Amino acid sequence: MKTQLKIRPIFLISSLMILCLGMAVVLLTAQRNANAYADLQLDAAVRMENAEAYLKTLILEKEIAIEPEDLNHTALIGPDFTELTSTPGEIGAKRSSLNPEFAAAMVRYFHQAGVKKGDTIAIGTSGSFPGFLIATLCAATQMELDVKVIASLGASMHGATRVSFNIFDILEALKMGGYADFAIVGISCGSENDNGGSAFEGFTFEGTEELSVALCQDYAKRFETQFIYYRNLSDAIAKRLELYGSDVKLFVNIGGAAANSGKSNYTLDFPQGLVTQVKFIPETNLRGLNYEFIAQGIPVLNLLNVKLLCQENGIPFDPIPMSKAGETSVYLEVSYNKVMILVTLVLAAAVFVLGVCDGYFRRRRLEN
């Protein structure tokens, strides 16, 4: 009977120590240099900071109360339960998305996607994350991109849930105030099937779908734009593709509107952040615009998982007080010593192999 090959602990511990020490040195010696477009990032963040201050002024002029959960007093955190509330929402995520440093993050994403001055980007947004919408529009305006927006009225809790100052009002204020340059090519009711209505219909509110339709009709006339309203979600998706046109270089999805995220078993599989390819593209006509654009080879910037997006960009999650423009590491590119990484891996592997050889010869001696 053969003796089992055993590696002595000294070799395993030594290999692990080399890995830990080597990686520690790699992290400590990492080079942090400003992005080549850091000035552009900062300008976008300052633009967002000013835009949010302007929006706050307008909201307070309407004598709309600041919500108790709005700990940074932005006035851009909406109530939890209203006629426009479509789904649950996490308050920390809503506060985080209002960080002006996200405008700098959007500039970074745009550069990574390869879009440049004059290129067309399409934005599909619900009312769930007004902060991400403001950030995207401020960054795109700073980069002089051609922006086409389709907005949905529905919003998750603590988003743009106010009937009296909803996501359409935010868009109008940003444009009229000169903080963002874009075209609204369509609007819709949003919510589960893009037909409007609150998640609390029949419990707290009545007639919310009718309210959504009436509001959208009014805003569509005011904006002189298309009101997208179909009983079939696949038709709403197809209409959006038509309205965006064929020159889109990047699609930005903000929130979880059904027409953008889709309604299929694969909706939650779509990655976060900048996406250039996915493992699998569903064939269903309810797959949503995220998959529709990826299927065309067009990058998608998917903005929904706030904690992940904060981590990816070096932006703190739910800071109180809010970060100021220029305070985070979103302006930096981090580079690591590749030689040190290679040396560490080779040494750790060599020690492990020595341990295997040692175990092999010890077993041979025992067997003989």
Side-chain angles (χ1 to χ4, degrees), residues 176-190:
M176 297 300 291
Y179 294 97
D181 185 20
F182 57 91
I184 302 175
V185 297
I187 63 173
S188 77
C189 296

Side-chain angles (χ1 to χ4, degrees), residues 13-299:
I13 294 172
S14 297
S15 181
L16 182 61
M17 287 183 64
I18 291 170
L19 278 175
C20 292
L21 289 173
M23 290 302 104
V25 172
V26 168
L27 291 173
L28 289 172
T29 58
Q31 297 294 314
R32 292 171 172 81
N33 301 308
N35 294 321
Y37 45 85
D39 289 343
L40 185 61
Q41 286 181 289
L42 182 58
D43 289 342
V46 170
R47 179 184 287 270
M48 180 172 176
E49 212 167 51
N50 293 335
E52 290 188 332
Y54 174 68
L55 289 168
K56 179 179 179 178
T57 299
L58 296 182
I59 291 168
L60 294 181
E61 284 177 354
K62 285 177 167 283
E63 299 183 350
I64 297 172
I66 292 179
E67 294 296 308
E69 297 86 358
D70 191 355
L71 302 182
N72 291 308
H73 304 286
T74 65
L76 289 166
I77 296 293
D80 44 11
F81 308 128
T82 77
E83 298 92 330
L84 303 184
T85 304
S86 56
T87 53
E90 203 273 307
I91 184 61
K94 300 306 171 82
R95 287 195 292 254
S96 299
S97 69
L98 292 165
N99 195 323
E101 293 287 69
F102 267 113
M106 297 309 142
V107 172
R108 170 190 269 179
Y109 283 131
F110 291 162
H111 276 83
Q112 291 173 348
V115 297
K116 56 188 182 300
K117 179 180 177 180
D119 282 348
T120 298
I121 67 168
I123 298 176
T125 182
S126 68
S128 295
F129 290 99
F132 282 158
L133 178 59
I134 298 166
T136 305
L137 290 173
C138 287
T141 300
Q142 204 67 45
M143 288 183 62
E144 299 182 54
L145 305 179
D146 179 24
V147 183
K148 297 179 179 179
V149 177
I150 296 178
S152 300
L153 185 60
S156 56
M157 293 164 56
H158 305 294
T161 55
R162 299 179 176 116
V163 174
S164 56
F165 205 87
N166 55 64
I167 198 67
F168 302 152
D169 294 310
I170 290 173
L171 283 167
E172 185 176 39
L174 289 172
K175 191 173 182 69
M176 297 300 291
Y179 294 97
D181 185 20
F182 57 91
I184 302 175
V185 297
I187 63 173
S188 77
C189 296
S191 294
E192 185 177 3
N193 291 301
D194 206 34
N195 298 139
S198 171
F200 304 99
E201 172 70 29
F203 296 96
T204 309
F205 306 103
E206 299 288 346
T208 56
E209 183 173 332
E210 291 79 5
L211 174 64
S212 296
V213 170
L215 286 170
C216 285
Q217 288 173 334
D218 289 343
Y219 282 99
K221 290 177 182 177
R222 186 194 304 184
F223 297 159
E224 297 181 347
T225 193
Q226 177 80 45
F227 174 32
I228 304 169
Y229 189 77
Y230 297 95
R231 301 313 301 183
N232 190 323
L233 183 61
S234 62
D235 291 333
I237 294 170
K239 186 62 178 180
R240 282 166 164 79
L241 286 171
E242 176 190 328
L243 291 172
Y244 283 134
S246 60
D247 57 348
V248 174
K249 296 296 191 294
L250 173 71
F251 175 64
V252 183
N253 172 48
I254 301 171
N260 300 329
S261 297
K263 288 187 67 176
S264 75
N265 295 331
Y266 307 99
T267 294
L268 297 180
D269 295 337
F270 199 87
Q272 297 293 308
L274 183 62
V275 183
T276 56
Q277 59 183 3
V278 294
K279 294 179 180 179
F280 175 75
I281 300 177
E283 295 296 327
T284 171
N285 59 4
L286 297 178
R287 62 189 181 183
L289 292 179
N290 283 345
Y291 282 113
E292 292 290 345
F293 280 106
I294 281 291
Q296 296 177 34
I298 297 170

